[in-house]
């Protein structure tokens, strides 16, 4: 406990003594690298899936906005947690952060169960609405089932990452993203095509590679959480409401992007499945090219920095 408190005091002291522009230059590159690694994975993943079957790429392009919605809910909840931790650090109420952490972890699991249950109920009619090809529908349901069941790592990793970033720890979330994406990329050809003794699983292999990479990232960030938090707080319904309130703007903004892509897919469906593929590849390439620009918008400033900003 004493060591953890000394670590927090050292972090806050060091950050407060550094100009904010210098802090941004120090903190933004890890986020940029993480987004860059994620963008590379999206492109490589599409490449291997396309080599397996063109219909598989269509199935992935249709589920892509749903995955964006999952990320929106996960990171938006994490943003709310980050803001509350920042406020408590700035008001010198560090002891109350444990309740925020415990409530945030609870919300991560709650988001997972809610999204998985609703997603499993709606995924079949969603694919029937998005594609008239029974092959695409079958491949898509197979991929979506595995992704939804295994998405617990995504939801928990997102909130834990924001908890670490709230303390100015940007390096370990970056390492987690890089390692997770590398594992994902390496497993894709092995599980899709059945190489090096692995079974040939097709599109299911791509889904398993994805959740395996997410699990690796979760294990890395959670291994660092105890250095900054005691994890002895209580789950508070009031804190949960405040977390959602603080993160609602982020969730809504990112969710609109999902609605936009789904709408375009429904329009392009009237022409050909190839048009949906082109749109899906375009947005993944766009994410690759804009990864550096997005870093500043996703940067979660540490609480001690926010404490320096005067309130009006």
């Amino acid at each position: 406990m004493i060591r953890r408190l000394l670590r927090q005091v050292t972090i806050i002291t060091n950050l407060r003594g550094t100009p904010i522009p210098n802090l941004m230059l120090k903190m933004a590159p890890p986020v940029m690298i993480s987004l860059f690694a994620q963008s590379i994975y999206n492109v490589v993943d599409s490449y291997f899936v396309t080599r397996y079957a063109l219909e598989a790429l269509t199935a992935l392009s249709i589920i892509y906005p749903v995955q964006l919605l999952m990320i929106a809910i996960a990171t938006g909840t994490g943003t709310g947690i980050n803001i509350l931790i920042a406020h408590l650090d700035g008001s010198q109420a560090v002891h109350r952060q444990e309740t925020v952490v415990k409530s945030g972890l609870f919300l991560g699991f709650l988001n997972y169960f809610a999204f998985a249950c609703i997603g499993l109920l709606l995924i079949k009619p969603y694919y029937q609405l998005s594609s008239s090809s029974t092959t695409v529908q079958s491949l898509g349901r197979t991929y979506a089932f595995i992704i939804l069941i295994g998405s617990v790592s995504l939801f928990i990793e997102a909130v834990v990452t924001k908890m670490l970033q709230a303390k100015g720890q940007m390096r370990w979330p970056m390492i987690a993203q890089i390692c997770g994406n590398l594992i994902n990329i390496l497993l894709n050809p092995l599980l899709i095509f059945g190489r090096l003794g692995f079974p040939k699983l097709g599109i299911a292999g791509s889904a398993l590679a994805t959740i395996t990479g997410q699990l690796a990232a979760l294990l890395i960030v959670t291994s660092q959480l105890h250095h900054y938090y005691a994890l002895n707080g209580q789950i508070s319904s009031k804190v949960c409401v405040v977390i959602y309130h603080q993160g609602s703007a982020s969730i809504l903004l990112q969710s609109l992007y999902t609605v936009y892509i789904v709408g375009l897919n429904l329009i392009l469906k009237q022409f050909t499945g190839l048009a949906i593929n082109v749109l899906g590849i375009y947005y993944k390439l766009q994410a690759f090219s804009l990864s550096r620009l997005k870093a500043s918008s996703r940067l979660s400033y540490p609480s001690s920095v926010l404490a320096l900003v005067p309130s009006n």
Side-chain angles (χ1 to χ4, degrees), residues 27-42 157 161 165 169-181 221 287 291-292 294-295 298:
M27 297 168 61
V31 183
M32 293 167 58
I33 294 173
S34 299
L35 292 173
F36 186 71
Q38 180 65 43
S39 300
I40 291 177
Y41 153 70
N42 286 333
E157 186 269 335
T161 290
Q165 290 177 343
Q169 176 52 262
M170 314 298 290
R171 182 180 60 182
W172 281 105
M174 176 192 68
I175 293 174
Q177 284 297 314
I178 292 175
C179 291
N181 288 320
V221 293
S291 58
R292 290 175 295 177
K294 289 181 179 180
R298 292 198 181 185

Side-chain angles (χ1 to χ4, degrees), residues 127-134 137 269:
Y127 266 100
Q128 290 174 340
L129 179 66
S130 302
S131 176
S132 57
S133 170
T134 55
Q137 293 176 15
K269 169 196 171 185

Side-chain angles (χ1 to χ4, degrees), residues 185-197:
I185 292 172
L186 292 174
L187 287 180
N188 255 291
L190 300 180
L191 295 177
I192 292 175
F193 304 109
R195 297 173 180 172
L196 298 180

Side-chain angles (χ1 to χ4, degrees), residues 126-245:
Y126 172 69
Y127 266 100
Q128 290 174 340
L129 179 66
S130 302
S131 176
S132 57
S133 170
T134 55
T135 302
V136 171
Q137 293 176 15
S138 177
L139 291 171
R141 290 197 301 269
T142 299
Y143 183 88
F145 177 82
I146 297 174
I147 289 295
L148 290 170
I149 292 297
S151 62
V152 60
S153 299
L154 182 151
F155 284 103
I156 303 302
E157 186 269 335
V159 297
V160 174
T161 290
K162 293 298 184 181
M163 293 173 187
L164 293 178
Q165 290 177 343
K167 295 298 183 179
Q169 176 52 262
M170 314 298 290
R171 182 180 60 182
W172 281 105
M174 176 192 68
I175 293 174
Q177 284 297 314
I178 292 175
C179 291
N181 288 320
L182 283 177
I183 291 173
N184 199 337
I185 292 172
L186 292 174
L187 287 180
N188 255 291
L190 300 180
L191 295 177
I192 292 175
F193 304 109
R195 297 173 180 172
L196 298 180
F198 285 87
K200 183 178 180 180
L201 301 176
I203 195 171
S206 177
L208 288 173
T210 297
I211 63 174
T212 302
Q214 292 171 352
L215 177 60
L218 172 63
L219 293 176
I220 292 174
V221 293
T222 51
S223 69
Q224 300 300 312
L225 194 61
H226 70 280
H227 292 305
Y228 302 91
Y229 304 100
L231 303 178
N232 58 1
Q234 301 294 324
I235 298 175
S236 169
S237 59
K238 293 182 179 180
V239 171
C240 291
V241 172
V242 175
I243 289 174
Y244 277 134
H245 175 72

